[in-house]
Amino acid sequence: MPYELQELAAISGMPGLYRLVRAARHGVLVESLDEKATRTLAPARNKVSLLSEISIYTQDPEQTVPLTDIFERIYQQHGTTAPVTAKSSEGELTEFMAGIVPDYDRDRVYLSDIKKVANWFGIVSKHRPYQEAAAPEAPAADETAPAEVAPAPKAKRKSAKADAEPAANEPLSTGGVIGAPDDAPEAPGNPEATVPAKKSRKKAE
């Protein structure tokens, strides 16, 4: 999630955005998302809309685009500053939204909605750090580890001595490291060739 929106909300009758602090007896204690970070009580009669639960309609009646994804797309295309404001023309606003969500529903998404998206993005990007999602790289490395360690049982079958060396190196090994002990048993394999030689001498006697 590029911008953490879980605790951020828009409150009817109150300009700007707010961070939810805790529930109060007659409403919700909130903190303004600005330089002052002023705490105030939002009355229970005011509608609180969590940004994480807001979506944009698309031409597919069964599909919407979460505001979190909208903010990610704006950031990727325009950085931390949206190219439009509440004072932008209708053409600029619709062109901006079409660039972010090409298939947005032109009938159900109003100009006032686009203005809110641009305004909210400006507030959030100014007071919340952007977090890049780099988590998928770690699982990719973990998935390759089992495949590389898999050849280890073959070394165990060859000899008991070979088991001791790979076992100590398994956590740090790759296919090449495990392969090194596999080559070692082949050298001691030459003395095994002398065993049949002794048997052949007995037969000769």
Side-chain angles (χ1 to χ4, degrees):
M1 185 178 292
Y3 289 107
E4 183 58 56
L5 306 181
Q6 293 296 331
E7 298 180 351
L8 304 184
I11 303 175
S12 62
M14 299 175 65
L17 295 176
Y18 297 84
R19 182 180 70 85
L20 304 183
V21 180
R22 66 172 182 273
R25 184 173 182 180
H26 300 292
V28 181
L29 182 64
V30 298
E31 181 179 273
S32 61
L33 194 62
D34 55 22
E35 291 79 3
K36 297 180 179 180
T38 305
R39 291 195 174 189
T40 184
L41 182 67
R45 65 176 180 274
N46 290 26
K47 181 181 179 181
V48 177
S49 302
L50 289 172
L51 298 191
S52 59
E53 297 179 356
I54 296 176
S55 298
I56 294 295
Y57 291 114
T58 67
Q59 294 177 6
D60 184 348
E62 299 182 356
Q63 184 177 3
T64 59
V65 181
L67 192 60
T68 302
D69 292 349
I70 298 293
F71 282 8
E72 168 67 14
R73 296 180 186 184
I74 296 175
Y75 179 86
Q76 293 299 330
Q77 293 187 29
H78 307 287
T80 58
T81 304
V84 296
T85 66
K87 297 181 180 180
S88 298
S89 66
E90 179 179 345
E92 290 173 333
L93 291 170
T94 54
E95 183 179 355
F96 162 71
M97 183 54 66
I100 303 303
V101 186
D103 62 337
Y104 84 93
D105 193 322
R106 273 69 172 172
D107 295 326
R108 292 190 293 174
V109 178
Y110 304 107
L111 289 177
S112 59
D113 297 325
I114 302 176
K115 291 179 181 180
K116 287 179 182 178
V117 169
N119 183 42
W120 290 348
F121 176 79
I123 296 174
V124 172
S125 63
K126 185 177 181 180
H127 299 283
R128 283 288 183 273
Y130 177 82
Q131 301 175 355
E132 295 186 5
E137 295 181 0
D142 294 339
E143 289 176 1
T144 58
E148 295 175 349
V149 176
K154 295 182 179 180
K156 294 181 179 179
R157 294 178 183 175
K158 291 185 178 181
S159 68
K161 293 182 181 179
D163 291 342
E165 295 179 1
N169 297 331
E170 277 181 5
L172 302 176
S173 67
T174 61
V177 174
I178 293 177
D182 290 347
D183 297 337
E186 293 180 1
N190 294 332
E192 293 179 2
T194 60
V195 176
K198 292 180 181 180
K199 293 181 180 180
S200 61
R201 291 177 183 174
K202 292 181 180 180
K203 290 180 180 180
E205 292 174 357

